[in-house]
Amino acid sequence: MGTENPGRPSFPARTAATPFAAAPPQNVMPFSSSGPLVGSEASGFRPTPPAAPQPTVPFSSSGPLAGSQSSGFRLPPPPRYNDPSVPPPASNVPPTGGPFQRFPTPPFPSTVQAPTSRVPPVGQPIAQTPAPPVSFRPQPQIPPVPMGAPPQSVNSAPPNVNVPYSVSDSSFPAPMTNFQSSFPGYARMQSNADLQPPPMQSPFPSHQGGYAPAPPTSSTPFLSHQGGYVPPPPVAAPLGLQSRDQMQYPGSGAPGSIQGLIEDFSSLSIGSVPGSIDPGVDPKALPRPLEGDVEPKLFSEMYPMNCNPRFLRLTTSGIPNSQSLASRWHLPLGAVVCPLAEAPDGEEVPVVNFVSTGIIRCRRCRTYVNPYVTFTDAGRKWRCNICSLLNDVPGDYFAHLDATGKRIDLDQRPELTKGSVEFVAPTEYMMRPPMPPVYFFLIDVSVSAVRSGMIEVVAQTIRSCLDELPGYPRTQIGFATFDSAIHFYNMKSSLTQPQMMVVSDLDDIFVPLPDDLLVNLSESRSVVETFLDSLPSMFQDNVNVESAFGPALKAAFMVMSQLGGKLLIFQNTLPSLGVGRLKLRGDDLRVYGTDKEHMLRIPEDQFYKQMAAELTKYQIAVNVYAFSDKYTDIASLGTLAKYTGGQVCYYPGFQSAIHGEKLRHELARDLTRETAWESVMRIRCGKGVRFTSYHGNFMLRSTDLMALPAVDCDKAYAMQLTLEETLLTTQTVYFQVALLYTASCGERRIRVHTAAAPVVADLGEMYRQADVGAVVSVFSRLAIEKTLSSKLEDARNSVQLRIVKSLKEYRNLYAVQHRLGGRIIFPESLKFLPLYGLALCRSTPLRGGYADAPLDERCSAGYTMMTLPVKKLLKLLYPSLIRLDEYFLKASAQVDDFKILEKRLPLAAENLDSRGLYLYDDGFRFNIWFGRALSPDVAMNLLGADFAAELSKVTLSERENEMSRKLMRILKKSRESDPSYYHLCHLVRQGEQPREGFLLLSNLVEDQMGGANGYVDWILQIHRQVQQNP
Amino acid sequence: MVKLTMIARVTDGLPLAEGLDAGRDPQDEFYKQQAKSIFKNLSKGHNESSRMSIETGPYIFHYIIEGRVCYLTMCDRSYPKKLAFQYLEELKNEFERVNGDQIETAARPYAFIKFDTYIQKIKKLYLDTRSQRNIAKLNDELYEVQQIMTRNVQEVLGVGEKLDHVSEMSSRLTSESRIYADKARDLNRQALIRKWAPVGIVIAVVLLLFWVKNKIW
């Protein structure tokens, strides 16, 4: 589309904005005297000046189009219409049948810019004219604002063309009631057939005549003369590409009904009475993502061969065609990739074996063959979709083409029909034979670890998972423990008991045995089991308080360096001996709020970063499990996980009675989930764009190759792209993610996800195709990275600033013409962005100041959020809140009706009824909130006899009654729906401070809390900033 | 002692299994590459003998080919040849027993990587040359290894290299002779021009003069 609009790029962003900023006053002036809205037009049209927006007056809110049209046709036009830029009707007739985008350019050379977005209008949800105001607004949740739909093209419309709709504009500031009253009349006007719905008014003036929607009932003579583009009936207009096809219908085609071109964005009314100083927002009307994450449909519908959005999501599927356009998109431009996302049954990624022919790849850019490549020359050549080089088709892969140019064997070639596919890698993709899955456990056995009961839980869990470890019979396993010395265990299969070897020389670490420290699980099974059974008792009398963590880490590295694999570290005491010794940091209150504050969130000792680099080189991934009740410097320990593609699990103040279940579940998940070993990942994209920065847990091996010693389904990676060329000439940009890995079964594979996205020439289109989930994911990673180099305050401000900038840009696109003075307007696709932004600012890594979250929790939450896939992250940012008691009291017929889980409430304290029972679920834990006035029956049924006791000491368990079973079923259901983390259940009673505070109230992101804003204040604040002049 | 064990299909050099002994030593990497080129040579059919020892640096490769599968190991030079071949025999028996029927159909590299656990196990038995078991094997007169040929790696890999070299030379010869022919033709043409150009120019001038003369007078 970009290329068809040559005028556009030459206007830099700012200058484009200026003409229209000046325009409205100009235009409005002449008419202001003639009273509200219609006057001018009507006067142009008919001698009798109608009186304002009364229903009886035809044309009261008459479309500007009608005005101008009529002027062109019947009446002596008002002077303004003689303006040269308003073309005579004759020239209005576009080339019949030509695509809509095309015609504005030739016929209107004088209209300064061709309207920027001709595509969008058609794709819009359609407003039926006769319908009440609601129909203009696709979002029902913002009822008070009926006129939410200014069109896109307005931006570039030159002043003179603006005339008509400046008139209609005047209806916007009018009080709502007034406005609505104009509708009946408006509806009536339809019968007069030369009017259109308000939303349409504005798009057309700029290319009047070119685009005249047909009225629903009759088409008047001049309309048909018009010959312009008449949109097809609204019913059939879906979004996206299809709409473009439809646009090619010639003019007078479908007189079925008026199609309103609604820009799909919403506007929020702030200040229902114009001029009021203290604007009030209706909190109920604000958008909330109560349905959770919605994957962008548009993207996959436009390109059905794209990979599923669970693997790859772009922050906007409209790629800007120029650098200037990209710079006006103030949100991140990039992608979130989750290469191994779990696919539901029946949608597994197909495996393709190319060993006989070698994998088909482009000679120049190394792109893998995918559904978007095209075959030419009778099937002997194929053109790479990314660099458009013509490649030869190898003899073994040759197939004839049918009449449409498709290969005849298409249905047997998943790689040519599916966006996601796995290739079996030939030997060239192997540095060495595929490694077996290796698990090495490094366990802290100092006194605090023993006391917390961690060792016992870990040993039991590992033992119970031995059967399910992936990769049987090649799986290798090994153990080492440490306190002030390091203990190795010889687990040779011929032994009956493991032999312990103690190395206490911490300065010069050596490994006491060359092998048998890492053993084949299937051979040494009995020894391993004996070891795990005896491990808890071995150290139960240990009183050692030291921790030689650094040396132990080095020793583990030496044992594992032959093969690589996964290193699981269970750590309880702040490392105090040998290299990598850590100090207590963060207890100096004076540091907080200064420029040195961020130093607490980054590792102090370079040892950990260097170690992580070494580990990655030898294909070792580190997962850190930390349990301390005191400060353990997660910031430093987490570095190990960050650069090796691992994860950090932090259980502050671990006690096996409380957290045992959580650790058991999460460790078991870590051990048994499908894992990809010794992998590297690269994302390729078309010419002119390039991925420049990557965010997540990995090590960058070259500029664009991510080294990932281990990947699993719970890890996602974000990346940002930039435009390298000032102008993209292609219509489509393709993305291809390739993950080369060794599966646990010992096969080397390449998983390839391919997606295409259109290049767009205008900002409105980018906004429409935005994916709020991906935007928020990239945002949160950027914000967390920012906390590592500056103050929390700055990180939060940068989030806010970018939201404000983007809304301001959006406002510049539309607001001025429509005088949405008192409103916030934002694109439909990003309506949740402000709320997620607020939630992000209040999430654990970014919230408040020193006192609001312990340093370790902040860091570990930061590390976790860097890896979360989109869905999970959104759930964490805006958790679900569900009322349970009503459900319990219902008849048991609906026992298995889990619809209740979908009835989410806004996260505000006002939604907590003191007579109710609520479940709060953020994907990591449940908080069950007992209202003060909750019927004792319910509490008794759920908690048994101790329902009146302090709830922090009560644990939930299933009891012999229906209610309790129901609750348990619900909890189980939610846990099953999201197995990557275990939801630990906390019970809290209303008014039980301070637990209620930190468990629930501080997480109700819509409420004001401490220094943080509530949702309403936040919106107002953003709104104020948006309104400020640049 | 055994440093490296590899099993590959002879027909196309596809690796089937490999021991887990791959160290990270860059030097080991070098010998591994050599082993791979030996497989490549074998797949071209350069070496027919089914048992062979190949010396390379401080090590020595031993291989046996049986049922279109090549079992190769790399040991120290001091390691008894007899033991090495018995080790390979033992691997071969087990491999054929477990995977025998799938060898021909294997389509991906390292299709039988699971065999590495067995390789690992057997290897340990052969580590110590002075263990009872191994001494007994060494003394076993029935197993004869004396007639197995020993060659140098350069020779073995050289055969292929020489052939490659020859074909490369011949192809270079063809292309160069073609270039020569082209050049010769070009030179001929130039010589011709050089020879006749002056004469032609003189004639042209004379004709011009005549013509001018005719025009004027």
Side-chain angles (χ1 to χ4, degrees):
Chain A
M1 321 171 193
T3 50
E4 285 160 14
N5 193 5
R8 173 89 197 78
S10 64
F11 291 85
R14 291 296 150 198
T15 52
T18 29
F20 72 74
Q26 241 186 14
N27 299 325
V28 183
M29 295 276 227
F31 304 114
S32 57
S33 60
S34 70
L37 341 175
V38 239
S40 64
E41 237 163 318
S43 64
F45 193 75
R46 288 186 187 182
T48 39
Q54 286 189 358
T56 46
V57 182
F59 310 116
S60 64
S61 68
S62 93
L65 184 47
S68 60
Q69 278 162 10
S70 57
S71 69
F73 273 95
R74 294 184 182 168
L75 297 170
R80 201 158 279 278
Y81 291 146
N82 285 336
D83 226 304
S85 72
V86 176
S91 71
N92 279 349
V93 182
T96 44
F100 181 56
Q101 307 99 299
R102 243 172 255 274
F103 62 73
T105 331
F108 305 97
S110 62
T111 50
V112 185
Q113 289 161 302
T116 35
S117 67
R118 279 131 287 150
V119 185
V122 209
Q124 291 326 300
I126 313 311
Q128 286 276 15
T129 1
V134 204
S135 70
F136 299 123
R137 321 195 61 272
Q139 311 75 25
Q141 62 267 56
I142 318 161
V145 193
M147 277 306 252
Q152 259 188 326
S153 53
V154 175
N155 182 18
S156 54
N160 32 25
V161 196
N162 267 345
V163 177
Y165 59 82
S166 66
V167 176
S168 69
D169 275 347
S170 54
S171 73
F172 278 81
M176 209 111 51
T177 47
N178 203 354
F179 176 76
Q180 277 169 342
S181 70
S182 73
F183 268 85
Y186 175 37
R188 199 162 313 166
M189 284 184 291
Q190 299 314 313
S191 56
N192 274 336
D194 36 7
L195 297 176
Q196 343 152 17
M200 305 197 57
Q201 294 165 0
S202 3
F204 299 125
S206 51
H207 33 131
Q208 286 168 6
Y211 188 100
T217 46
S218 62
S219 56
T220 50
F222 65 81
L223 253 184
S224 50
H225 283 306
Q226 187 100 12
Y229 167 67
V230 176
V235 260
L239 306 185
L241 267 193
Q242 291 96 323
S243 62
R244 242 189 267 164
D245 300 338
Q246 293 190 354
M247 297 173 99
Q248 301 186 357
Y249 295 132
S252 50
S257 68
I258 288 191
Q259 181 185 30
L261 300 182
I262 279 207
E263 177 42 39
D264 69 329
F265 76 90
S266 319
S267 77
L268 264 176
S269 165
I270 294 204
S272 49
V273 184
S276 72
I277 299 164
D278 177 32
V281 184
D282 179 7
K284 291 204 176 58
L286 295 170
R288 292 185 176 85
L290 298 180
E291 292 84 44
D293 175 37
V294 180
E295 286 174 353
K297 288 253 166 31
L298 200 67
F299 188 39
S300 46
E301 274 169 16
M302 269 166 79
Y303 293 96
M305 289 187 296
N306 273 2
C307 62
N308 191 294
R310 76 174 77 93
F311 299 119
L312 170 70
R313 285 172 75 164
L314 296 171
T315 56
T316 171
S317 0
I319 305 299
N321 73 335
S322 64
Q323 278 176 348
S324 66
L325 186 56
S327 66
R328 287 169 64 201
W329 167 259
H330 294 282
L331 299 171
L333 185 61
V336 182
V337 176
C338 184
L340 289 176
E342 279 176 307
D345 288 342
E347 285 185 43
E348 285 87 3
V349 178
V351 179
V352 180
N353 193 337
F354 263 147
V355 165
S356 54
T357 53
I359 293 180
I360 318 286
R361 297 178 70 176
C362 172
R363 258 187 335 210
R364 181 164 64 195
C365 64
R366 311 300 293 145
T367 299
Y368 296 86
V369 68
N370 62 66
Y372 295 104
V373 303
T374 46
F375 287 85
T376 54
D377 198 10
R380 283 191 294 274
K381 297 254 163 92
W382 62 275
R383 189 175 290 283
C384 169
N385 55 329
I386 287 190
C387 71
S388 54
L389 182 78
L390 213 52
N391 293 278
D392 292 330
V393 175
D396 293 347
Y397 195 62
F398 175 79
H400 289 286
L401 303 186
D402 64 8
T404 57
K406 292 201 171 79
R407 285 169 61 109
I408 48 174
D409 63 346
L410 208 58
D411 49 340
Q412 292 145 30
R413 296 279 182 195
E415 74 277 10
L416 296 179
T417 51
K418 295 252 163 50
S420 300
V421 74
E422 272 192 0
F423 297 113
V424 174
T427 27
E428 301 87 75
Y429 295 81
M430 303 179 191
M431 297 286 287
R432 53 171 183 171
M435 63 177 271
V438 175
Y439 293 91
F440 194 83
F441 300 89
L442 189 59
I443 303 170
D444 187 347
V445 290
S446 61
V447 60
S448 59
V450 175
R451 282 203 196 126
S452 70
M454 171 270 278
I455 299 175
E456 203 171 345
V457 178
V458 169
Q460 283 168 2
T461 312
I462 297 172
R463 194 184 188 294
S464 67
C465 288
L466 288 180
D467 277 329
E468 295 158 62
L469 287 182
Y472 175 85
R474 300 179 68 216
T475 318
Q476 305 231 348
I477 196 168
F479 295 88
T481 53
F482 65 97
D483 42 24
S484 60
I486 305 162
H487 323 117
F488 296 93
Y489 300 90
N490 178 358
M491 300 207 268
K492 200 172 172 162
S493 54
S494 49
L495 298 172
T496 51
Q497 282 274 332
Q499 290 173 345
M500 181 159 112
M501 284 155 288
V502 179
V503 173
S504 48
D505 181 2
L506 301 180
D507 296 327
D508 185 19
I509 299 293
F510 63 95
V511 177
L513 270 181
D515 38 29
D516 295 326
L517 294 178
L518 202 55
V519 293
N520 184 301
L521 177 61
S522 52
E523 282 168 14
S524 304
R525 177 70 184 255
S526 65
V527 193
V528 171
E529 279 179 357
T530 322
F531 167 74
L532 288 172
D533 287 339
S534 56
L535 179 64
S537 55
M538 259 194 274
F539 293 99
Q540 63 187 355
D541 300 324
N542 195 353
V543 288
N544 203 320
V545 293
E546 302 285 354
S547 162
F549 179 78
L553 182 68
K554 277 185 125 175
F557 167 68
M558 288 156 110
V559 175
M560 294 182 77
S561 59
Q562 285 275 312
L563 287 172
K566 214 179 225 181
L567 172 61
L568 295 101
I569 299 174
F570 301 88
Q571 189 274 348
N572 208 316
T573 308
L574 190 70
S576 58
L577 294 175
V579 285
R581 166 181 336 109
L582 294 171
K583 293 198 297 273
L584 266 178
R585 297 192 290 168
D587 50 356
D588 182 5
L589 294 183
R590 281 166 306 175
V591 179
Y592 292 94
T594 68
D595 290 341
K596 285 189 181 144
E597 180 193 309
H598 71 272
M599 299 297 285
L600 297 174
R601 292 189 284 271
I602 56 174
E604 189 181 36
D605 193 340
Q606 281 305 304
F607 169 76
Y608 288 95
K609 204 170 169 185
Q610 285 160 5
M611 208 57 211
E614 279 293 291
L615 290 161
T616 310
K617 207 165 131 198
Y618 289 91
Q619 307 291 0
I620 301 168
V622 180
N623 287 355
V624 178
Y625 290 80
F627 301 94
S628 177
D629 49 351
K630 295 198 247 356
Y631 176 75
T632 54
D633 204 346
I634 298 286
S636 298
L637 299 178
T639 322
L640 292 171
K642 181 179 169 70
Y643 292 107
T644 61
Q647 66 184 39
V648 178
C649 299
Y650 180 46
Y651 307 84
F654 182 86
Q655 284 172 306
S656 60
I658 301 169
H659 306 93
E661 201 49 47
K662 186 171 170 69
L663 172 61
R664 217 164 273 147
H665 177 94
E666 287 173 6
L667 178 56
R669 167 114 181 144
D670 187 4
L671 293 178
T672 56
R673 67 186 159 197
E674 184 56 50
T675 304
W677 307 88
E678 46 176 359
S679 44
V680 289
M681 183 163 82
R682 175 173 271 143
I683 178 163
R684 295 185 170 80
C685 54
K687 215 167 131 246
V689 285
R690 195 161 61 89
F691 281 99
T692 44
S693 67
Y694 300 84
H695 313 275
N697 285 6
F698 55 82
M699 180 79 102
L700 222 49
R701 196 176 284 170
S702 64
T703 51
D704 61 343
L705 187 70
M706 284 182 262
L708 302 161
V711 198
D712 52 64
C713 52
D714 298 327
K715 304 279 191 309
Y717 308 89
M719 45 211 80
Q720 291 193 84
L721 58 84
T722 50
L723 271 72
E724 282 188 308
E725 291 169 12
T726 39
L727 197 64
L728 288 185
T729 49
T730 47
Q731 302 280 312
T732 317
V733 173
Y734 297 94
F735 298 92
Q736 190 170 64
V737 181
L739 176 80
L740 171 64
Y741 71 98
T742 302
S744 295
C745 61
E747 270 187 55
R748 192 98 170 127
R749 291 186 186 162
I750 307 161
R751 182 176 277 224
V752 177
H753 302 297
T754 314
V759 175
V760 299
D762 108 274
L763 195 58
E765 186 63 21
M766 288 180 70
Y767 277 111
R768 189 184 354 276
Q769 305 214 5
D771 173 359
V772 72
V775 169
V776 171
S777 280
V778 181
F779 247 163
S780 55
R781 284 159 203 244
L782 291 175
I784 290 166
E785 279 173 9
K786 179 116 186 166
T787 64
L788 305 182
S789 59
S790 49
K791 287 188 277 187
L792 295 175
E793 189 68 40
D794 297 344
R796 288 196 294 263
N797 285 343
S798 71
V799 170
Q800 188 174 351
L801 190 68
R802 288 187 83 167
I803 294 178
V804 166
K805 269 189 185 165
S806 82
L807 291 182
K808 194 182 268 178
E809 197 67 48
Y810 195 75
R811 187 182 175 75
N812 287 344
L813 274 182
Y814 301 117
V816 179
Q817 286 81 355
H818 292 276
R819 297 283 193 73
L820 290 172
R823 292 155 196 223
I824 278 190
I825 64 170
F826 46 82
E828 166 67 13
S829 57
L830 294 177
K831 63 183 172 189
F832 302 134
L833 183 63
L835 179 56
Y836 280 129
L838 171 66
L840 176 61
C841 291
R842 297 187 54 178
S843 63
T844 318
L846 277 96
R847 80 162 56 133
Y850 161 69
D852 290 297
L855 187 55
D856 275 343
E857 274 182 48
R858 217 183 263 281
C859 291
S860 81
Y863 283 123
T864 305
M865 282 169 70
M866 291 296 280
T867 65
L868 287 182
V870 176
K871 256 191 180 34
K872 203 89 190 89
L873 182 70
L874 295 188
K875 179 90 178 283
L876 175 64
L877 289 180
Y878 197 84
S880 66
L881 183 68
I882 299 159
R883 182 165 185 167
L884 292 178
D885 55 319
E886 287 163 353
Y887 168 71
F888 290 149
L889 298 174
K890 267 194 224 154
S892 58
Q894 292 161 312
V895 155
D896 289 320
D897 182 11
F898 290 113
K899 284 228 174 67
I900 183 176
L901 290 176
E902 289 155 21
K903 274 179 25 196
R904 296 171 62 175
L905 297 167
L907 282 175
E910 61 176 26
N911 287 309
L912 294 175
D913 182 353
S914 65
R915 284 162 301 174
L917 176 74
Y918 292 86
L919 173 67
Y920 164 97
D921 170 14
D922 65 0
F924 288 82
R925 61 183 170 178
F926 294 135
N927 290 331
I928 300 181
W929 186 84
F930 291 77
R932 199 181 281 123
L934 177 69
S935 110
D937 257 8
V938 177
M940 181 117 92
N941 277 331
L942 295 179
L943 303 174
D946 40 354
F947 71 97
E950 176 122 356
L951 286 182
S952 58
K953 300 196 177 70
V954 180
T955 50
L956 202 62
S957 56
E958 184 159 333
R959 285 166 213 285
E960 280 307 306
N961 59 65
E962 191 53 36
M963 213 176 273
S964 176
R965 276 195 289 271
K966 268 186 183 173
L967 177 63
M968 284 314 189
R969 263 200 301 274
I970 287 182
L971 298 188
K972 187 155 170 276
K973 174 81 181 169
S974 335
R975 280 177 185 145
E976 276 169 2
S977 69
D978 181 13
S980 42
Y981 293 90
Y982 184 83
H983 307 59
L984 196 60
C985 197
H986 301 276
L987 306 177
V988 65
R989 183 169 284 136
Q990 184 177 14
E992 190 184 338
Q993 294 296 358
R995 285 183 78 236
E996 188 189 16
F998 67 78
L999 280 179
L1000 190 63
L1001 297 185
S1002 65
N1003 293 319
L1004 297 176
V1005 292
E1006 294 188 15
D1007 285 338
Q1008 195 157 356
M1009 189 78 190
N1013 286 319
Y1015 192 17
V1016 172
D1017 296 337
W1018 169 261
I1019 287 283
L1020 289 178
Q1021 197 179 339
I1022 285 187
H1023 178 57
R1024 261 198 302 279
Q1025 292 177 357
V1026 168
Q1027 296 233 298
Q1028 279 163 11
N1029 286 324
Chain B
M1 106 178 215
V2 175
K3 297 286 272 187
L4 187 73
T5 312
M6 293 169 99
I7 301 176
R9 194 158 65 188
V10 177
T11 40
D12 53 1
L14 185 78
L16 299 176
E18 187 170 329
L20 268 184
D21 28 21
R24 282 280 176 163
D25 217 334
Q27 210 165 1
D28 287 3
E29 227 23 67
F30 169 74
Y31 291 114
K32 217 164 147 184
Q33 283 309 319
Q34 269 194 348
K36 281 182 184 162
S37 22
I38 290 175
F39 284 140
K40 213 165 280 170
N41 269 353
L42 288 174
S43 67
K44 286 184 203 151
H46 290 316
N47 291 58
E48 283 84 16
S49 55
S50 69
R51 262 145 238 261
M52 174 116 57
S53 300
I54 300 165
E55 292 172 334
T56 172
Y59 303 116
I60 186 160
F61 289 117
H62 302 286
Y63 73 75
I64 60 178
I65 298 176
E66 195 90 29
R68 295 210 234 165
V69 177
C70 176
Y71 306 84
L72 180 141
T73 185
M74 186 178 84
C75 320
D76 292 325
R77 281 193 178 217
S78 55
Y79 193 81
K81 202 171 175 180
K82 214 171 185 175
L83 268 189
F85 276 99
Q86 292 205 13
Y87 166 65
L88 290 177
E89 285 289 336
E90 206 162 327
L91 283 187
K92 185 203 77 181
N93 293 338
E94 178 68 13
F95 191 75
E96 280 178 350
R97 192 179 66 75
V98 180
N99 303 311
D101 47 343
Q102 300 161 40
I103 292 168
E104 288 304 308
T105 53
R108 59 183 176 85
Y110 297 107
F112 307 111
I113 189 68
K114 281 178 184 159
F115 194 67
D116 66 352
T117 54
Y118 185 79
I119 297 179
Q120 214 62 9
K121 208 156 65 184
I122 297 295
K123 200 180 85 177
K124 274 182 196 154
L125 297 179
Y126 282 89
L127 273 186
D128 186 2
T129 49
R130 276 164 299 176
S131 70
Q132 263 324 310
R133 181 180 177 278
N134 290 344
I135 287 173
K137 280 186 186 284
L138 276 176
N139 293 333
D140 185 356
E141 293 298 327
L142 292 177
Y143 197 81
E144 197 49 66
V145 291
Q146 294 313 317
Q147 67 268 40
I148 292 177
M149 215 190 324
T150 303
R151 295 168 72 180
N152 190 282
V153 72
Q154 295 310 327
E155 272 175 67
V156 176
L157 296 181
V159 174
E161 262 170 38
K162 269 177 208 152
L163 278 181
D164 287 347
H165 191 60
V166 168
S167 72
E168 192 191 323
M169 285 225 293
S170 73
S171 68
R172 201 187 302 149
L173 200 63
T174 332
S175 69
E176 298 219 326
S177 69
R178 199 169 298 132
I179 291 170
Y180 179 75
D182 284 350
K183 280 214 169 133
R185 205 173 304 130
D186 211 40
L187 276 178
N188 251 340
R189 202 178 303 124
Q190 278 185 16
L192 203 74
I193 290 171
R194 208 166 295 154
K195 196 169 168 190
W196 294 105
V199 181
I201 288 169
V202 168
I203 292 172
V205 167
V206 170
L207 285 178
L208 188 74
L209 285 177
F210 271 113
W211 181 72
V212 167
K213 208 174 90 184
N214 290 342
K215 271 275 163 182
I216 294 172
W217 285 287

